[in-house]
């Protein structure tokens, strides 16, 4: 079950509004992946959340399976058009995946848990 | 830093050994390493502890060793780089006059009777926040992080699963000559391809074993080592590199590791070149780690690790450099950075038996931490007075 904590609350609030956000450094304006604890360029912790387009290309992926080989989850690294990488769930059949594949976000709303960004074709 | 040498080696029973804690294994390993060197544990004046996953192994190990006082005692972290880092710290401490006789020990006991090996490295209850989101996407495990790296390498350079398989097959072949190896039955490329997918593209035979056990080495001055029981194994060079792969466009994640810079610097300290290396004992938690390290050290070109393995260069007696001669973590045993170091010491002493490499003048040992986030390198050489 996907739950929020203090650091991720603004990210999940934005998802609930239908927006995918990343961190923007208040000092140097660099964009960084949502889970960053500080700016990877200047180390500042002050930041805002900025809405991204929600499109990008696939960098890499893997598939989580049970012992019988059944697929439990497909996940990958998406390079957002704006630059940051997002590690996220993919709603695409593994055989269709390749590096550079254009993908777009879809916000999956779930009962009793936080919304989840899922990338699809 | 040519002044230090490894004078003692101790390895406990390793594998599905139950009922002993990591601390028990660690103390046993230090005792064995001292006995090997012809020293009493009370002669130690330094101890560097490198724990694994299991709790309870820390500086309090000192009370189990029969020492009265140490001049150097600390825990060294850094994941798979900790063992190489400990040996280099010991060498520097000895050079600085802080201590004369330093034990470096690793031990872990992640296996529990009746649970699977993989369970030891599975994340527990999913945390909240971004970490939980990662788990929801199936990306929280160590396997998945290396799988992402492997897929990126494959997509960028055309590396194939069969080429990764060639690494597993070659190391199993080496393991067949190692009585200490846990897995010694030869495997074929078909066995690799038929082994179940753990995290695509990594299959079961791309993954290291999981072991309970411990190992230790005794580091002392080369001069003192010469008067002890074993032929000294000289510490010729060492270096670390921790490149930050930013989660952003342009990241080298999965394509390059700290091995490139650490290897170059360690070779320079040793006054040698990669072309002079006879034996490479590489940290191989997954086959992709061997491949990337081979490329980054310069045993083959960038992106050519796949063909290099496929051509049989890693098979016993075939390549210019002998790689993972004890079977490594894939087939030998999994004692983090100790697995490559233990085998390097055996090869430097010339006591590798059936698997002894033809030449052992320059031996490189690697440590890899995180998913290619951290790297440490040691360069070792045999006793110059004699040798095998
Ligand atoms: Zn900044």
């Amino acid at each position: 079950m996907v739950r929020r904590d203090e650091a991720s609350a603004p990210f999940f609030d934005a998802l609930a509004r239908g927006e995918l956000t990343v961190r923007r450094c208040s000092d140097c304006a660099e964009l960084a992946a949502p889970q960053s604890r500080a700016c990877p360029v200047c180390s500042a912790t002050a930041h805002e959340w900025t809405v991204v387009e929600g499109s990008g290309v696939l960098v890499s992926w893997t598939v989580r399976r049970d012992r019988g080989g059944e697929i439990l989850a497909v996940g990958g690294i998406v390079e957002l058009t704006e630059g940051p990488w997002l590690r996220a769930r993919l709603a695409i059949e593994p055989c269709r995946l390749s590096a550079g594949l254009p993908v777009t976000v879809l916000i999956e709303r779930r009962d009793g848990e936080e919304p989840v960004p899922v990338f699809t074709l | 830093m040519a002044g230090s040498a490894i004078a003692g080696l101790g390895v406990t029973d390793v594998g599905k050994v139950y009922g002993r804690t990591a601390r028990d294994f660690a103390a046993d390993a230090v005792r064995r390493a001292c006995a090997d060197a012809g020293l009493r544990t009370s002669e130690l004046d330094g101890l560097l502890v490198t724990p694994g996953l299991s709790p309870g192994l820390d500086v309090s190990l000192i009370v189990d060793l029969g020492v009265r006082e140490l001049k150097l005692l600390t825990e060294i972290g850094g994941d798979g780089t900790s063992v190489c880092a400990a040996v280099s710290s010991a060498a520097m401490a000895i050079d600085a006059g802080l201590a004369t006789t330093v034990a470096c020990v690793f031990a872990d006991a992640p296996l529990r009777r009746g649970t699977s090996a993989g369970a030891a490295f599975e994340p527990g209850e999913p945390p909240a926040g971004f970490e939980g989101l990662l788990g929801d996407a199936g990306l929280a495990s160590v396997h998945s992080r290396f799988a992402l790296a492997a897929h990126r390498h494959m997509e960028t350079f055309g590396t194939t699963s069969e080429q990764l398989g060639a690494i597993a097959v070659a190391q199993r072949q080496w393991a067949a000559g190692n009585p200490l190896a846990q897995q010694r039955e030869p495997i074929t490329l078909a066995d690799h391809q038929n082994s179940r997918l753990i995290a695509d593209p990594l299959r079961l035979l791309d993954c290291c074993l999981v072991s309970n056990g411990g190992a230790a080495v005794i580091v002392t001055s080369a001069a003192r080592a010469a008067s002890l029981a074993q032929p000294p194994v000289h510490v010729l060079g060492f270096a670390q590199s921790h490149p930050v792969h930013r989660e952003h466009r342009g990241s080298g994640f999965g394509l390059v590791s700290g091995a490139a810079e650490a290897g170059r610097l360690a070779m320079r300290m040793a006054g040698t070149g990669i072309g002079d290396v006879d034996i490479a004992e590489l940290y191989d938690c997954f086959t992709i780690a061997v491949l990337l390290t081979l490329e980054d050290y310069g045993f083959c070109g960038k992106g050519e690790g796949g063909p290099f393995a496929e051509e049989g260069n890693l098979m016993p007696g075939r390549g210019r450099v002998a790689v993972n001669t004890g079977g490594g973590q894939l087939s030998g045993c999994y004692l983090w950075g100790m697995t490559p170091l233990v085998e390097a010491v055996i090869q430097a002493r010339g006591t590798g038996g059936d698997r002894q490499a033809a030449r052992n003048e320059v031996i490189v040992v690697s440590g890899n931490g995180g998913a290619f986030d951290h790297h440490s390198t040691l360069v070792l050489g045999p006793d110059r007075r004699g040798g095998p």
Side-chain angles (χ1 to χ4, degrees):
Chain A
M1 186 169 95
V2 177
R3 295 170 292 137
R4 66 174 56 201
D5 58 10
E6 206 175 319
S8 60
F11 178 81
F12 285 118
D13 283 341
L15 283 179
R17 293 193 301 270
E19 295 171 340
L20 181 66
T21 53
V22 298
R23 281 171 62 120
R24 183 171 55 206
C25 176
S26 302
D27 280 12
C28 77
E30 273 285 328
L31 300 183
Q35 74 279 8
S36 309
R37 306 294 298 178
C39 173
V41 171
C42 78
S43 184
T45 53
H47 64 279
E48 299 103 44
W49 290 90
T50 184
V51 178
V52 292
E53 205 178 287
S55 67
V57 293
L58 191 64
V59 173
S60 190
W61 72 97
T62 186
V63 182
R64 184 172 164 79
R65 295 167 187 272
D66 66 15
R67 290 184 76 85
E70 286 300 309
I71 294 176
L72 300 174
V74 184
I77 299 172
V78 173
E79 184 171 297
L80 298 172
T81 306
E82 292 82 357
W85 281 11
L86 209 62
R87 292 178 184 235
R89 189 180 260 271
L90 304 173
I92 308 168
E93 278 180 66
C95 64
R96 304 184 68 179
L97 299 173
S98 65
L101 184 74
V103 291
T104 178
V105 77
L106 178 150
I107 297 168
E108 188 177 288
R109 293 168 194 281
R110 301 176 178 181
D111 281 346
E113 50 181 314
E114 298 292 346
V116 173
V118 177
F119 283 83
T120 182
L121 291 174
Chain B
M1 203 63 64
S4 292
I6 294 171
L9 173 67
V11 185
T12 69
D13 296 340
V14 174
K16 290 178 173 143
V17 184
Y18 302 116
R20 300 166 74 186
T21 66
R23 178 167 153 173
D24 295 336
F25 283 118
D28 186 16
V30 172
R31 286 181 210 112
R32 290 180 189 221
C34 285
D36 181 62
L39 293 165
R40 293 184 305 276
T41 54
S42 60
E43 291 177 87
L44 293 172
D45 60 4
L47 174 64
L48 299 176
V49 180
T50 58
L53 288 181
S54 306
L57 175 57
D58 54 33
V59 291
S60 66
L61 177 66
I62 182 176
V63 301
D64 298 346
L65 298 179
V67 299
R68 295 174 67 89
E69 188 217 5
L70 293 180
K71 296 290 196 293
L72 174 71
L73 172 63
T74 192
E75 223 179 277
I76 294 193
D79 256 6
T81 63
S82 58
V83 167
C84 286
V87 171
S88 33
S89 297
M92 289 187 282
I94 289 161
D95 198 50
L98 290 177
T100 65
T101 314
V102 182
C104 302
V105 63
F106 168 88
D108 204 4
L111 287 175
R112 294 277 168 275
R113 205 187 297 273
T115 60
S116 78
F121 285 82
E122 278 293 312
E125 187 62 23
F130 295 116
E131 280 293 310
L133 214 43
L134 213 54
D136 185 68
L139 300 176
S141 71
V142 176
H143 309 86
S144 70
R145 293 162 66 202
F146 278 88
L148 289 172
H151 249 153
R152 187 157 200 233
H153 197 281
M154 291 164 95
E155 291 286 298
T156 306
F157 298 117
T159 309
T160 65
S161 170
E162 287 83 356
Q163 291 170 340
L164 294 178
I167 296 171
V169 170
Q171 290 196 198
R172 183 62 65 84
Q173 201 63 42
W174 279 110
N178 179 7
L180 300 172
Q182 284 176 241
Q183 301 281 349
R184 302 182 63 195
E185 271 303 298
I187 54 170
T188 64
L189 199 53
D191 291 332
H192 172 271
Q193 291 295 297
N194 291 331
S195 68
R196 70 186 173 92
L197 282 160
I198 299 292
D200 303 21
L202 300 179
R203 299 179 172 277
L204 183 66
L205 290 176
D206 288 304
C207 305
C208 66
L209 305 162
V210 180
S211 313
N212 288 354
V217 294
I218 307 299
V219 183
T220 187
S221 68
R224 178 142 189 264
S227 68
L228 295 176
Q230 299 291 343
V233 177
H234 295 277
V235 179
L236 305 176
F238 46 80
Q240 301 179 21
S241 173
H242 309 269
V244 177
H245 295 304
R246 204 182 146 195
E247 294 277 287
H248 199 273
R249 183 177 293 136
S251 168
F253 169 77
L255 307 180
V256 291
S257 76
E261 184 66 358
R264 191 181 68 78
L265 293 172
M267 289 293 153
R268 191 169 74 182
M269 188 191 287
T272 188
I274 202 71
D276 300 319
V277 174
D278 298 315
I279 300 170
E281 303 296 351
L282 307 180
Y283 198 96
D284 57 331
C285 47
F286 298 93
T287 49
I288 184 67
V290 177
L291 190 144
L292 208 58
T293 309
L294 286 168
E295 291 181 357
D296 287 341
Y297 278 164
F299 291 113
C300 61
K302 179 45 70 184
E304 293 167 11
F308 185 80
E310 193 170 39
E311 287 156 14
N313 286 302
L314 306 181
M315 290 293 273
R318 290 277 299 280
R320 207 204 51 74
V321 57
V323 178
N324 289 354
T325 51
Q329 299 170 341
L330 295 174
S331 289
C333 68
Y334 186 55
L335 294 178
W336 293 29
M338 272 297 172
T339 298
L341 179 62
V342 166
E343 180 64 15
V345 171
I346 291 169
Q347 290 286 336
R349 290 178 175 178
T351 54
D354 288 347
R355 68 186 192 282
Q356 180 64 43
R359 299 177 312 276
N360 68 351
E361 288 305 302
V362 181
I363 303 173
V364 64
V365 182
S366 80
N368 174 62
F372 301 116
D373 300 305
H374 309 287
H375 197 92
S376 57
T377 304
L378 282 180
V379 183
L380 303 179
D383 187 14
R384 291 182 196 83
R385 295 169 310 170

